[in-house]
Amino acid sequence: MERWLALLAALVAALIGMLFFWLGGPTRSSTEVVQRVFVIEIRDHYFDPPGLTVQPHDRVVWVLKENAQGDGHTVTAYHPSYDRPLRIPPGARPWNSGVMTQLGQSYSYLFTLPGVYDYFCALHEQQGMVGRVIVGGTTNLPAVEQGLPATAQSSIPTIEELSGVTGEAFHAIALLQGIEYLAAQAQTALALRQLRDFQSVFSQSHLAMTLTQQGIREQFENRLSALEALLSRRVPISAIVQTVAQAEVLLSALARP
Ligand SMILES: [Cu+2]
């Protein structure tokens, strides 16, 4: 009997060990751990925001918001698989959404490798419908800044732009859109955590400084607090959509200089 108990204890200890490993011990290696969700809206004919800085294991979701011509849009990585030069980090998995035509349709990609990722809409690249995601910081990046059709090249936000206050505004907009997206999927706990993490770093940011200079910092912070209160209660998604829109309006002058 004692031997059985010892065996059982060993088994339980092993299971607990595995659980800790799985939940994220120091040796965690899973690439499916999502830190945050950012949303880039697909519009006629641009990505909003066109540039975004994130960290490894952040998920980016592109959501189709406009399709007036009915021909749709794609989100496609610059990669030889799609007949284009390589403009994502070597070894990163290329992606292609295919043509999206239904409003609300989305495509998602989990970024893991640091570096610069450029992408385009296969139907409107010539009209400058392109975007850039930078993963893991903007210093010492080997940026490719030539080789595309002129309109496409000039529409991709530069690394310099993305490391400044415009980049911070883009980041905040996509993060707020991500909160709205999570709330719409009834993932309120995740949405709240994402909002509170942002609130805790906001006061140290260039964005906060710039909004202070513009005299709208308090208004912006009030919108964030309102959003937090709404997410803490059970409210219709329309109230959250409205509050996110109000916060975004305050950032719009920075995001589209
Ligand atoms: Cu397009």
Side-chain angles (χ1 to χ4, degrees):
M1 194 62 185
E2 263 176 40
R3 223 190 315 165
W4 283 111
L5 279 176
L7 193 66
L8 189 67
L11 193 68
V12 168
L15 281 173
I16 288 173
M18 279 167 67
L19 189 67
F20 270 95
F21 178 79
W22 179 66
L23 284 177
T27 50
R28 169 159 67 191
S29 64
S30 167
T31 52
E32 290 307 312
V33 182
V34 178
Q35 306 289 3
R36 296 173 294 185
V37 174
F38 293 83
V39 166
I40 296 173
E41 296 184 345
I42 306 171
R43 300 197 169 271
D44 296 332
H45 294 96
Y46 59 94
F47 296 102
D48 181 22
L52 178 61
T53 50
V54 296
Q55 291 302 317
H57 305 294
D58 282 337
R59 183 176 288 286
V60 174
V61 183
W62 287 267
V63 181
L64 188 70
K65 288 286 184 177
E66 289 175 351
N67 182 20
Q69 271 85 48
D71 56 346
H73 299 288
T74 82
V75 183
T76 310
Y78 274 109
H79 191 276
S81 305
Y82 310 118
D83 249 347
R84 294 294 190 285
L86 179 72
R87 292 179 68 141
I88 68 174
R93 181 175 54 88
W95 73 90
N96 178 18
S97 66
V99 179
M100 300 162 74
T101 53
Q102 302 298 311
L103 297 187
Q105 200 177 339
S106 65
Y107 185 80
S108 123
Y109 186 90
L110 183 64
F111 286 92
T112 53
L113 290 180
V116 182
Y117 296 72
D118 292 339
Y119 64 93
F120 62 104
C121 168
L123 293 121
H124 308 110
E125 179 193 18
Q126 299 288 340
Q127 284 145 265
M129 190 165 175
V130 291
R132 168 171 280 177
V133 176
I134 296 180
V135 180
T138 52
T139 46
N140 298 323
L141 286 174
V144 186
E145 303 287 17
Q146 69 250 321
L148 297 187
T151 30
Q153 187 61 61
S154 63
S155 302
I156 289 188
T158 62
I159 289 176
E160 193 189 13
E161 198 180 353
L162 287 177
S163 53
V165 75
T166 298
E168 287 188 26
F170 285 158
H171 177 91
I173 287 171
L175 182 123
L176 286 164
Q177 288 172 172
I179 289 168
E180 178 183 317
Y181 176 85
L182 287 169
Q185 316 273 316
Q187 303 210 55
T188 351
L190 278 181
L192 255 180
R193 195 184 67 188
Q194 184 160 318
L195 176 62
R196 286 175 178 153
D197 285 353
F198 176 70
Q199 284 173 305
S200 70
V201 295
F202 172 72
S203 60
Q204 311 297 321
S205 65
H206 292 112
L207 183 61
M209 233 160 32
T210 310
L211 293 181
T212 304
Q213 284 158 10
Q214 295 181 341
I216 53 173
R217 175 173 172 175
E218 205 184 327
Q219 261 176 285
F220 182 71
E221 287 182 320
N222 284 345
R223 289 302 86 204
L224 295 184
S225 305
L227 192 56
E228 191 187 5
L230 291 172
L231 288 169
S232 309
R233 301 198 307 266
R234 204 180 274 269
V235 296
I237 186 70
S238 58
I240 287 162
V241 171
Q242 195 185 6
T243 310
V244 165
Q246 289 163 350
E248 281 183 22
V249 164
L250 295 167
L251 299 175
S252 56
L254 297 170
R256 286 175 207 84

